[in-house]
């Protein structure tokens, strides 16, 4: 079932435009279907890796110097002596030549176009299901060699990483071993050339313990260490038999290791493929990120609350992509800013009308609560009205002049009292209210100098006299009606005078609001573009994550594979295996 799963994943990779990882996954499927267990030897060229492989093969198959090719992945299997060399000619495809093993050294001297080398030779240790991969030195000055080694890991079921004694604790070893371990496959660390050790300077056991501790400090837990001296096979710490025992134990678990390796390789290739997909969207994501940052404007910045800026709403996750760190704002934060800006625009466009409604309400409340015709004032009004009755005389023998003078005297007393009531109950309060309203709205300057002083209605004797209805009955009831009438008329005049000023102020606020609204609409449009870009960016990232998750889910559907138990090198150190368990040791020894 896993075979079809790998092919399905490869097809989806290819459909998304990633032919490189699709081809690698197809290689994993072919390798798994072959039933072959592959052990890869990686490490420094100077560590004697090729010499070690030759020793295992029982014959000098690999040249002592690197094969000058950027591919330089050599596969070795048990079989009739033959070497198949595949070359890649530009524009002509691949050409394969079969040569004798002893011709390999000379044939590869000009090997820049070599794509692959497959060696078969009678090697009893390998049997019919084990293959060895020899990879370029990871310390090569040619970066292509290191890349070739890393690119071959998808075909390796087990990795033996070879280090020379003098450089075992180099940072390169730690970094590469850590990378190998991340693939999830079994990895054994081989320390070669231990004949360079000087017991008088440091005991070998202390050296072994120091090596183990150093790798543990790098959080690297290999499946075992093997110490070798190919130059001196009789060295007391030479663990050749241990190496052969490990290889034999790995062969015994070939099927489990092959399946686990296929799962690990697929998992890693899916992760590498995801990076390719992300890189393919990089240009679009970069453009969206620039827009989301607001490089064409700073609409969102002005919508933040006091003390808040763009960085405050950034979400910095340790594993986020570089473009996410650049874009910073997430869609949620931008939507919040957008909502604030819309509310601000709505409030601004309604501000003038709301302010006028507030002023009118306050004005009406002030006028409604103003009692400008109390009882004392009504009494004066009644005395005046009585003097307007037909037949009114001051005394029995008073003449018209004296009567008129009395009427005028009563009118003036009434007018003086009523004017004071209006001034104190309406005019002063209304002028203060309008002045305060204008100042609070920022309306000052020449246009409003003296505006509040104009809110004044003069109460003249003539005006009071004119308010008396012709033919009035001059009863007590009429006096009440007259008082209501003049109070209503005065309040109507003051309302109109105040509204004249307030309407002018409203018009100015409305004009300012329109101007501010245009600016806000421009900021809002810029913020909407930022929000749309961020949403598009997050959708794109979500699509990338969903694609990778779909591939991982497809892989998981093939079954829950678990890493098989591999030969325990530590246990072997404590109790050497019985001779019968060291299958193939004699045949492998040259």
């Amino acid at each position: 079932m896993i075979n079809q799963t790998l092919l399905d994943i490869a097809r989806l990779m290819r459909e998304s435009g990633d032919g490189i990882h699709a081809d690698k996954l197809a290689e994993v499927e072919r390798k798994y279907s072959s039933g072959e267990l592959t052990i890869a030897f990686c490490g420094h060229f100077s560590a004697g890796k090729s010499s070690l492989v030759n020793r295992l093969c029982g014959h000098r198959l690999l040249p002592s110097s690197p094969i000058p090719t950027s591919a330089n992945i050599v596969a070795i299997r048990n079989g009739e002596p033959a070497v198949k060399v595949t070359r890649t000619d530009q524009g002509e495809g691949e050409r394969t030549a079969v040569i004798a093993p002893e011709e390999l050294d000379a044939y590869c001297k000009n090997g820049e176009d070599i794509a692959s080398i497959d060696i078969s030779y009678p090697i009893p240790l390998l049997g019919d299901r084990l293959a060895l991969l020899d990879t370029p030195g990871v310390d090569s000055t040619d970066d292509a060699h290191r890349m070739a080694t890393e690119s071959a890991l998808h075909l390796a079921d087990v990795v033996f990483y070879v280090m020379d004694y003098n450089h075992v604790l180099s940072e390169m070893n730690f970094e590469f071993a850590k990378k190998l371990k991340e693939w999830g496959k079994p990895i054994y660390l081989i320390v070669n050339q231990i004949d360079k050790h000087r017991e008088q300077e440091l005991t070998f056991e202390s050296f072994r313990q120091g090596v183990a501790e150093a790798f543990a400090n790098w959080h690297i837990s290999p499946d075992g260490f093997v110490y070798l001296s190919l130059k001196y096979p009789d060295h007391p710490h030479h663990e050749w038999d241990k190496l052969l025992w490990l290889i034999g134990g790995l062969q015994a678990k070939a099927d489990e290791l092959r399946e686990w390796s296929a799962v690990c390789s697929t998992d890693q290739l899916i992760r590498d493929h995801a990076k390719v997909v992300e890189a393919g969207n990089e240009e679009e994501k970069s453009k969206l990120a620039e827009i989301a940052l607001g490089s064409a404007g700073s609409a969102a910045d002005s919508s933040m609350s006091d003390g808040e800026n763009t960085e405050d709403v950034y979400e910095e996750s340790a594993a986020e992509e570089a473009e996410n760190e650049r874009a910073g704002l997430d869609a949620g934060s931008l939507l919040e800013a957008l909502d604030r800006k819309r509310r601000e625009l709505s409030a601004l466009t309604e501000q003038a009308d709301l302010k006028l409604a507030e002023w009118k309400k306050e004005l009406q409340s002030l006028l409604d609560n103003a009692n400008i015709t109390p009882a004392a004032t009504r009494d004066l009004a009644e005395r005046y009205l009585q003097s307007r009755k037909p037949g009114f005389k001051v005394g029995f023998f008073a003449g018209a002049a004296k009567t008129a003078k009395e009427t005028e005297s009563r009118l003036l007393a009434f007018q003086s009292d009523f004017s004071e009531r209006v001034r104190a109950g309406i005019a002063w309060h209304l002028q203060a209210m309008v002045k305060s309203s204008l100042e609070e709205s920022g309306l000052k300057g020449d246009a409003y100098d003296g505006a509040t002083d104009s809110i004044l209605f003069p109460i003249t004797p003539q005006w009071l006299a004119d308010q008396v209805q012709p033919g009035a009955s001059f009863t007590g009831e009429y006096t009440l009606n007259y008082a209501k009438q003049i109070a209503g008329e005065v309040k109507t005049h003051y309302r109109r005078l105040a509204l004249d000023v307030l309407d002018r102020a409203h018009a100015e606020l409305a004009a300012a609001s329109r101007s501010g609204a245009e600016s806000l609409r421009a900021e809002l449009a810029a913020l909407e573009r930022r929000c749309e870009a961020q949403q598009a960016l997050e959708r794109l990232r979500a699509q990338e994550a969903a694609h990778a998750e779909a591939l991982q889910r497809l892989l998981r559907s093939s079954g829950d594979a678990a890493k098989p138990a591999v030969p325990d090198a530590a246990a072997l150190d404590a109790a050497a295996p019985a001779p019968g368990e060291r299958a193939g040791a004699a045949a492998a020894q040259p």
Side-chain angles (χ1 to χ4, degrees), residues 293 300-317 325-330 332-334 336-337 340 530:
L293 267 176
D301 298 342
S302 63
S303 68
M304 304 297 172
S305 59
D306 291 342
E308 184 181 17
N309 53 39
T310 305
E311 287 74 20
D312 292 330
V313 292
Y314 279 11
E315 295 187 352
E316 310 234 346
S317 303
E325 295 175 353
R326 293 171 58 204
L329 284 171
D330 61 15
S333 298
L334 278 172
E336 290 178 6
R340 287 195 297 271
R530 292 182 61 188

Side-chain angles (χ1 to χ4, degrees), residues 50-51 53-62 101-102 121-123 588 590:
S50 297
S51 298
V53 174
N54 284 337
R55 181 71 61 86
L56 286 170
C57 295
H59 191 84
R60 185 182 176 278
L61 296 176
L62 300 177
E102 56 270 19
Y121 198 83
I123 309 171

Side-chain angles (χ1 to χ4, degrees), residues 336-355:
E336 290 178 6
L338 186 62
D339 184 59
R340 287 195 297 271
K341 186 62 66 177
R342 284 171 174 162
R343 291 198 303 269
E344 185 180 344
L345 176 61
S346 177
L348 182 62
T349 54
E350 298 174 359
Q351 181 180 9
D353 291 342
L354 290 174
K355 185 63 68 175

Side-chain angles (χ1 to χ4, degrees), residues 186-380:
I187 172 175
Y188 294 91
L189 302 181
I190 296 178
V191 181
N192 194 19
Q193 303 172 4
I194 59 171
D195 45 274
K196 298 177 181 178
H197 179 74
R198 297 295 176 261
E199 189 73 16
Q200 62 273 24
E201 298 175 2
L202 178 72
T203 66
F204 193 77
E205 285 307 312
S206 296
F207 169 70
R208 289 169 64 116
Q209 183 178 355
V211 171
E213 290 177 353
F215 278 91
N217 290 336
W218 275 71
H219 305 288
I220 302 169
S221 302
D223 294 281
F225 289 89
V226 179
Y227 292 85
L228 299 177
S229 174
L230 298 178
K231 187 175 182 180
Y232 299 101
D234 295 330
H235 193 283
H237 299 295
H238 179 55
E239 297 180 326
W240 184 257
D241 285 351
K242 179 179 178 178
L243 176 61
L244 297 178
W245 178 78
L246 287 173
I247 292 175
L250 293 169
Q251 285 176 299
K253 293 182 172 290
D255 290 337
E256 296 175 71
L257 287 168
R258 286 173 42 254
E259 182 170 359
W260 174 249
S261 174
V263 171
C264 290
S265 292
T266 305
D267 176 71
Q268 182 63 43
L269 290 174
I270 288 174
R271 282 184 275 139
D272 292 343
H273 163 71
K275 294 177 182 178
V276 170
V277 172
E278 292 169 7
N281 294 328
E282 180 62 34
E283 183 176 355
E284 183 178 358
K285 288 189 292 188
S286 180
K287 290 179 180 178
L288 290 172
E290 288 298 325
I291 297 173
L293 267 176
S295 57
S298 56
D301 298 342
S302 63
S303 68
M304 304 297 172
S305 59
D306 291 342
E308 184 181 17
N309 53 39
T310 305
E311 287 74 20
D312 292 330
V313 292
Y314 279 11
E315 295 187 352
E316 310 234 346
S317 303
E320 283 296 321
E321 312 86 82
E323 69 272 11
N324 189 43
E325 295 175 353
R326 293 171 58 204
L329 284 171
D330 61 15
S333 298
L334 278 172
L335 283 171
E336 290 178 6
L338 186 62
D339 184 59
R340 287 195 297 271
K341 186 62 66 177
R342 284 171 174 162
R343 291 198 303 269
E344 185 180 344
L345 176 61
S346 177
L348 182 62
T349 54
E350 298 174 359
Q351 181 180 9
D353 291 342
L354 290 174
K355 185 63 68 175
L356 180 60
E358 179 184 332
W359 291 340
K360 286 183 176 181
K361 182 178 180 180
E362 188 176 358
L363 170 62
Q364 190 61 47
S365 176
L366 188 152
L367 293 174
D368 288 344
N369 292 323
N371 182 10
I372 54 177
T373 55
T377 303
R378 292 197 302 272
D379 288 344
L380 291 173

Side-chain angles (χ1 to χ4, degrees), residues 449-516:
D449 284 346
T452 54
D453 296 335
S454 67
I455 304 175
L456 184 64
F457 178 66
I459 308 297
T460 65
Q462 186 60 48
W463 183 82
L464 287 174
D466 291 343
Q467 301 308 306
V468 178
Q469 293 182 358
S473 61
F474 300 108
T475 63
E477 182 180 356
Y478 177 74
T479 300
L480 291 175
N481 290 335
Y482 175 76
K484 289 180 181 178
Q485 177 187 341
I486 60 175
E489 287 293 327
V490 166
K491 290 180 180 181
T492 297
H493 281 289
Y494 271 101
R495 181 184 296 105
R496 186 181 67 251
L497 292 171
L499 286 178
D500 285 345
V501 177
L502 295 177
D503 283 341
R504 182 152 52 94
H506 168 261
E508 184 171 341
L509 285 179
S513 295
R514 286 192 295 272
S515 176

